[in-house]
Amino acid sequence: MARDHGFHPVRITRVVDETPDTRTFALDARFPYRAGQFLTFKVCGTLRSYSMSSSPDTDGEVCVTVKRVPGGLVSGWMHERLRPGDTLEATLPGGSFCLRADATDRPLVAYAGGSGITPVFSLVKSALATTPRNVRLLAAHRSADAAIFREALDALAARHPGRLTVRHHLDDRDGLVTAETIGTLADSDADHYLCGPEPFMALVEATLKTFRVASEHLFVERFTPAAPEETPVAPPEPVAGSVTVDLRGGRRTVPQRPGETLLQSARRAGFTPPFSCESGDCATCMARLTDGEAKMRVNNALDPDEVAEGYVLTCQAEPTTPDVTVVYED
C-alpha cells in the first residue's frame, strides 16, 4: 500500500510579517514531522514546496515561512490573499534535510542564505532542544531589514550561551560572503547543513571540500525552481525505444532520449505533469511504471514497498529498458 502522498486541508491560524517580503503562516495541522522538512501546497493551479520554520521539539504549531519572489505566482498570491481562517491544501511533510539520529554529539555548522534560513532555523531549534550538540550558524542576508528570524536567533543564542553561535552576515555592510568567511566555520569533525541561493551554496560546497569535509557530513537542501528548458540547436538523437505517458486520461508516446528523465519525456510529449522540488524529495511527481523499468538517480521520498509496486519519482527516473510506460494516478 502506497503512503499517503495526497493533499489535506490545513487552516491558517496566524500570519506573521518577518520582513517586508517574508511571512510566516501558522497552520492548524495535526501531523508528525521532523525538523528541516517541508510541505507541498496546491495553490493557483500549481504546486509549491515550502519548508517549515517551526520545530516539532520546541513549537506548539506548524509554521511555514514564505518569501515573496518578484513576479512569483504562488508566493505573491499567498502574501496578498491569505488571512487567518483561510484553508490550504497540503501534503503530509516530506524531505530528508534532517538531523542524523546517530550524530547527537557531533558539532553542527549551518550556512543559510536568504530564505534558506527557514529549514535551518527548524534544525537549530531541534538540535539545541534534543541533543548536547554545539551549533554554529552563518545567516547571510542582503541587509538588516531582509534578515529573517534575526531577533529570534539572537534570543535563542542568549538562551543557549556557549552552545549556539550566530554570525549575521549582511551584504550591504560586509560585502558578499567569501571563501574566507566560510573557512572560519569549516570543521571536518562537524555535520554541515546548507540552504540558500545556488551561487551561495556552490561557494560553500567548494570551500568545504578544501577543508576536507566528507560528503557524508554535508547536507544540502535545494528548492530552486527548474529553469525553462532551452531548445537545443541540434536535438539529441533518440535511442531505440519509447516512453509512453498516461496522464489525466491522455496517452502519448515519444522516442526515448539519452539522459532524459520520465518527467522531461512527459513534458516533451506535451503534458504538464505534476512536480515541485525536482530533487527527489517531495514525491509530487510520483507515478507508476506499468511497462518496462527505470532507475532513479535520487529517492528520498518513496518507501521500498512503493518502489516494489512500480512507483518512481519521475523527476529522477531514467528508462533502463527500450520501452517504458508510466501512469500518473489521480
Side-chain angles (χ1 to χ4, degrees):
M1 177 69 69
R3 278 186 300 159
D4 183 352
H5 294 291
F7 289 83
H8 305 271
V10 293
R11 185 173 59 85
I12 297 172
T13 58
R14 295 189 303 124
V15 179
V16 180
D17 289 329
E18 305 288 356
T19 71
D21 61 359
T22 307
R23 283 185 170 176
T24 291
F25 299 91
L27 307 173
D28 181 14
R30 315 207 176 241
F31 42 62
Y33 68 100
R34 297 176 64 192
Q37 290 192 306
F38 59 83
L39 298 175
T40 299
F41 295 91
K42 186 185 294 184
V43 181
C44 301
T46 188
L47 304 172
R48 289 291 187 277
S49 297
Y50 291 108
S51 296
M52 287 173 277
S53 53
S54 56
S55 159
D57 305 298
T58 63
D59 301 311
E61 57 190 355
V62 176
C63 296
V64 294
T65 300
V66 179
K67 182 175 181 179
R68 182 168 187 164
V69 178
L73 171 67
V74 174
S75 63
W77 184 88
M78 293 179 76
H79 274 242
E80 293 172 6
R81 297 291 191 88
L82 293 181
R83 301 291 183 269
D86 290 340
T87 299
L88 292 169
E89 293 288 317
T91 61
L92 297 182
S96 58
F97 188 63
C98 301
L99 299 174
R100 291 195 297 135
D102 61 348
T104 55
D105 295 323
R106 194 178 182 90
L108 188 155
V109 183
Y111 311 82
S115 59
I117 189 63
T118 300
V120 169
F121 188 34
S122 176
L123 292 170
V124 168
K125 288 187 284 187
S126 280
L128 293 171
T130 63
T131 77
R133 305 173 77 169
N134 289 329
V135 180
R136 286 174 288 165
L137 168 64
L138 172 66
H141 298 280
R142 296 189 313 272
S143 58
D145 64 356
I148 307 167
F149 305 135
R150 184 176 184 177
E151 293 182 0
L153 285 166
D154 289 342
L156 194 62
R159 291 199 299 273
H160 296 275
R163 286 192 60 205
L164 173 61
T165 302
V166 180
R167 176 171 179 175
H168 297 288
H169 182 101
L170 306 179
D171 292 347
D172 65 351
R173 180 192 68 190
D174 307 316
L176 296 177
V177 173
T178 64
E180 289 73 23
T181 303
I182 298 161
T184 63
L185 297 172
D187 179 356
S188 61
D189 293 325
D191 280 346
H192 298 260
Y193 285 80
L194 168 60
C195 188
E198 272 304 326
F200 173 80
M201 294 198 293
L203 176 64
V204 174
E205 288 185 273
T207 304
L208 293 181
K209 280 185 180 179
T210 68
F211 282 86
R212 300 178 185 237
V213 173
S215 58
E216 60 265 30
H217 298 305
L218 177 60
F219 305 87
V220 181
E221 182 76 312
R222 282 188 169 88
F223 279 109
T224 304
E229 295 183 12
E230 297 181 1
T231 303
V233 175
E237 289 293 326
V239 298
S242 65
V243 176
T244 299
V245 181
D246 193 322
L247 173 63
R248 302 187 192 99
R251 189 177 180 90
R252 300 170 191 165
T253 300
V254 294
Q256 282 190 28
R257 284 183 177 174
E260 187 173 79
T261 65
L262 294 177
L263 181 68
Q264 291 169 328
S265 296
R267 289 173 177 156
R268 187 160 53 87
F271 285 118
T272 306
F275 74 96
S276 184
C277 74
E278 291 201 65
S279 58
D281 285 320
C282 73
T284 302
C285 69
M286 69 182 289
R288 187 198 292 264
L289 287 175
T290 60
D291 183 45
E293 297 179 4
K295 182 178 180 180
M296 289 182 282
R297 302 166 184 165
V298 175
N299 173 26
N300 294 323
L302 299 181
D303 286 337
D305 288 348
E306 292 174 312
V307 175
E309 291 174 10
Y311 287 99
V312 294
L313 302 174
T314 58
C315 74
Q316 299 294 317
E318 294 184 35
T320 57
T321 55
D323 296 296
V324 171
T325 299
V326 59
V327 178
Y328 287 87
E329 300 176 353
D330 291 334

